[in-house]
Amino acid sequence: MRESKALQVLKGRHLRLEEPLLLSTVSGVASTKPALIRYFDQKISPIGIITTKSFQVTPNPGNREPVICETTKGNFGNSVGLRNPGMDQALAELRALRQEWKFRCLLNVSLSANSVEDFIMLVEVFSEVADILELNFSCPHAAEGYGASIGCSSEISSDYVRKIKEATKKSEVPLFVKLTPNVEDIGQVAKAVVDAGADGLVAINTVGPIVHEDPVSHTPILQNTIGGKGGCSGRWVHGKAVSCIKEIRMAVGDDVPLIGMGGVSTGEEAAEMVLCGADAVGIGSAFGTVSQKDWEPYLNSVLAEAEARLKPGKEYLGPKSETYLAEDRQMAYRKHTVTKIAYYGKDTIILTLDGSLPCKAGEFAFLWLPGIGEKPFSVAHNDPLTFVVKKRGPFTEALWLLSLGSDLYVRGIYGAQLENERTDKALLVAGGTGVAVLPALAQQLKEQGTEMTILVGTSESVAGKALLEDRLSGFGSFTCVADDGKNGRVLDLLNGLSLGPDQACYLVGPEIFMAIAAKKLILQGMEEEKIYLSMERMTLCGIGMCGECVCGDRLTCQWGSFMRYDYLKEHAPSMVGL
C-alpha cells in the first residue's frame, strides 16, 4: 500500500526541529460543524490537522445539558456523550465540503462504535473523505461498550485494530487510535495497537471521569446515566498528558506518528509536548478560553513561542499566547431567587429574579436547575433580572413549576453587544418570545437617537403581555398583533410599509419568521445590509467549545446573536430561507 499524504507529513517529524510545529484541532471541540471545518481550513492558517467530532453509525443525541462545565479557571468537565448526526448525514456533509474546494489541512475523521463490525463499516464509508481515520477507543463518559471500554484493555483494543485492518485492506487511509489515559500502562496499550496494525496514535483523551461539583450549589453539574461524572480537560490534565506522551513514545519508538494533546494552552506547553515525543500537538479546551475573533493570532503566538523554544537561537518577541486566555472563570453559576411569576399566554411565563445582569442586545445567559438541566435565554430585563420562558420541553416545564422563593442559577453573560450603523429610523419586528430581546435593543437604539416603530406578534390576546409591552411602548410607536389562528399575523403589517432611505430593520423570533419578514422588506426596497436578524442558536457551552451556535463561520456566543442579512445570505443562506 502506498504511504498516504498524512503519514508522509507525520512520519519522521519527531524532534525534527527545523520544521514548523504542526497544530491540530481536537475531536469534539470547536471544529464540530461543517461550517467550522471550512473556517479552520480557510481562515485559521496555524492549524494543519482538523479533527471532526466522533461519528457513529446512527445518530446519537448525547446527554442532556449541562454537558460542559468549568469548576475552576481553565479546568473543564465534559460529558457530551458522543453527540453526533450519524454516519449518513456526516458523510454527506464531509463529501460536500470535499467537493467545494481542495483542503489545505489534513482532515482527521474521528469514529466511534461498540463493535468491530460497526467500526469496519465506518472505516469503509469515511475512507472516501478522510486523510486520517481516528478510532475513538478513549471516551470516558460514553455508553457501555464504547470509548474507554475498548481502550482500557490492550487485548481488546489490539483485537479490534487487527480485525478492522484485516477487513479494510483496500482503504489507503491510515488508522490512528485515540488512547485513554485512564489505564495503568498506556505505553503497553499503545504498543499493542501498533503491533496489531495501527498506523498512528492520538493521546490523550480526557482524564477521569469524576463528579464535577458546582462550588455555589454544591451539587453535580453534568447530567448523564453515570451519576453526573464527566471527563476532565483543560489545564489541569496537562501534566498527565505529558507523562503519557513520554510513555507512549518510549513504548513504540520514534517512527510511529503521534498526535499529542491534553491541556495545551500556550506555546511553552506545545513545545513540551514535542520534546516528549509528539509529532503534532492538539489544541482543544483552550478554544473555550479565547475569543473566536482572536483564534488566528492566538494560535500564531502558540506556534511562534513553541518554535522559539524548540529551535536553538530563535527568539519570539510578539504577544504572548497567555495574553489571549480568559482572565476569569467563564462558566461560573450565580444563585438567584424567583421573586415574581407572570403569565404571558397559555404556554409562556415571565420569571423575575432578585439581582441584576448588565446584558446588552445580542447577549444572553444560561438558566440552570441542578439535576434537571440548563438552557440559554435572552434577558428580557436587566434590573430586576427577568426572563421570558416558553414551555417547550422537560427543562422549561420544570421552570414552570418554580414558585416564589425558588432557587434558580444563572451563568453568563455570553455573546456580544450588537454592532450597528446608526440610522435616523428603525423598524423592530418581533414574534413570540423574541419580544424578550426588544427592551435591550430598543434602549441601545434610543441612546443612538433613533426613532423607532415596534411591531410585536403574540400567539393570543392576553392581559399578561402588558408586562413587557409597558417597557416597549415608551421607546416609540408600538403595535401588538395577536396571531388568532394565523401564525405570524404581525408580518401582514409589512405589506406596503413605507420605508425611508435612512432606516434599518431589526428582526427577532423563529428563523422562518425572520426569513419571511426579511424577504418582504427586501421586496419593498430595504437594503440587505440594514437588516439585522437575531439568530438565537442553541448552544451547549456559551464559550466557543461546542460549535452548536455557528452561523456561517461565526459563533453567536462569541459574536453576539445579531447578524446582518447580507452576511447570512453569503455565509449561511439556508438560515434566511435561500
Side-chain angles (χ1 to χ4, degrees), residues 2-17:
R2 67 177 178 84
E3 194 167 88
S4 72
K5 174 186 174 183
L7 289 182
Q8 290 172 3
V9 170
L10 288 170
K11 266 192 172 181
R13 289 182 61 93
H14 181 51
L15 292 184
R16 289 174 60 185
L17 305 185

Side-chain angles (χ1 to χ4, degrees), residues 35-348:
L36 290 171
I37 292 173
R38 180 189 298 109
Y39 167 73
F40 275 103
D41 191 66
Q42 297 182 339
K43 296 186 178 181
I44 308 298
S45 60
I47 291 293
I49 303 173
I50 301 172
T51 305
T52 70
K53 64 173 64 181
S54 291
F55 299 124
Q56 297 170 303
V57 173
T58 57
N60 182 351
N63 295 319
R64 285 190 56 79
E65 303 90 343
V67 293
I68 301 173
C69 65
E70 182 190 22
T71 51
T72 56
K73 176 186 170 183
N75 296 321
F76 298 94
N78 62 82
S79 180
V80 177
L82 295 172
R83 181 189 303 235
N84 73 97
M87 178 178 69
D88 292 341
Q89 180 179 332
L91 176 63
E93 291 174 345
L94 294 179
R95 184 182 284 154
L97 289 179
R98 284 295 199 186
Q99 292 171 350
E100 288 176 11
W101 80 96
K102 184 178 180 180
F103 268 65
R104 171 185 61 84
C105 297
L106 298 174
L107 182 62
N108 177 22
V109 179
S110 186
L111 309 175
S112 173
N114 65 349
S115 70
V116 170
E117 292 74 20
D118 279 0
F119 266 120
I120 291 171
M121 183 187 305
L122 291 167
V123 169
E124 291 177 338
V125 165
F126 284 101
S127 288
E128 172 191 342
V129 294
D131 296 303
I132 300 171
L133 289 169
E134 175 184 289
L135 306 180
N136 185 345
F137 288 1
S138 54
C139 180
H141 48 77
E144 185 176 352
Y146 291 86
S149 299
I150 302 169
C152 66
S153 165
S154 58
E155 291 79 11
I156 296 174
S157 55
S158 61
D159 184 58
Y160 264 61
V161 171
R162 189 175 296 107
K163 290 177 179 176
I164 294 168
K165 290 289 288 187
E166 178 65 27
T168 59
K169 289 180 179 179
K170 293 182 179 180
S171 172
E172 296 186 343
V173 180
L175 292 185
F176 280 45
V177 175
K178 190 170 188 181
L179 303 174
T180 174
N182 305 308
V183 293
E184 290 186 5
D185 189 344
I186 194 170
Q188 179 187 41
V189 179
K191 189 174 188 310
V193 297
V194 168
D195 289 346
D199 299 296
L201 301 168
V202 182
I204 60 174
N205 205 324
T206 53
V207 177
I210 65 171
V211 173
H212 298 268
E213 184 178 291
D214 174 53
V216 176
S217 67
H218 304 292
T219 61
I221 302 174
L222 303 176
Q223 298 221 151
N224 51 41
T225 58
I226 56 174
K229 292 182 179 180
C232 303
S233 61
R235 308 204 74 166
W236 57 357
V237 307
H238 182 66
K240 176 70 172 178
V242 167
S243 175
C244 287
I245 295 300
K246 288 181 181 178
E247 292 180 40
I248 292 168
R249 183 55 73 192
M250 289 180 63
V252 302
D254 288 348
D255 294 332
V256 178
L258 172 57
I259 302 174
M261 61 191 65
V264 175
S265 296
T266 66
E268 181 70 22
E269 291 166 343
E272 188 177 14
M273 279 283 188
V274 173
L275 291 171
C276 290
D279 300 305
V281 176
I283 302 287
S285 298
F287 285 118
T289 68
V290 179
S291 170
Q292 187 192 6
K293 298 177 183 180
D294 291 330
W295 283 359
E296 169 93 3
Y298 161 66
L299 291 172
N300 277 328
S301 291
V302 169
L303 200 61
E305 284 177 356
E307 289 182 326
R309 166 74 188 280
L310 295 170
K311 295 181 179 180
K314 187 175 179 64
E315 187 178 9
Y316 172 63
L317 301 177
K320 297 292 185 181
S321 54
E322 283 191 354
T323 62
Y324 292 98
L325 306 178
E327 296 181 359
D328 303 306
R329 180 176 163 224
Q330 301 177 91
M331 302 183 76
Y333 293 99
R334 294 174 302 279
K335 179 179 168 182
H336 292 266
T337 301
V338 177
T339 60
K340 188 176 182 180
I341 302 173
Y343 292 91
Y344 187 78
K346 62 183 179 182
D347 62 353
T348 305

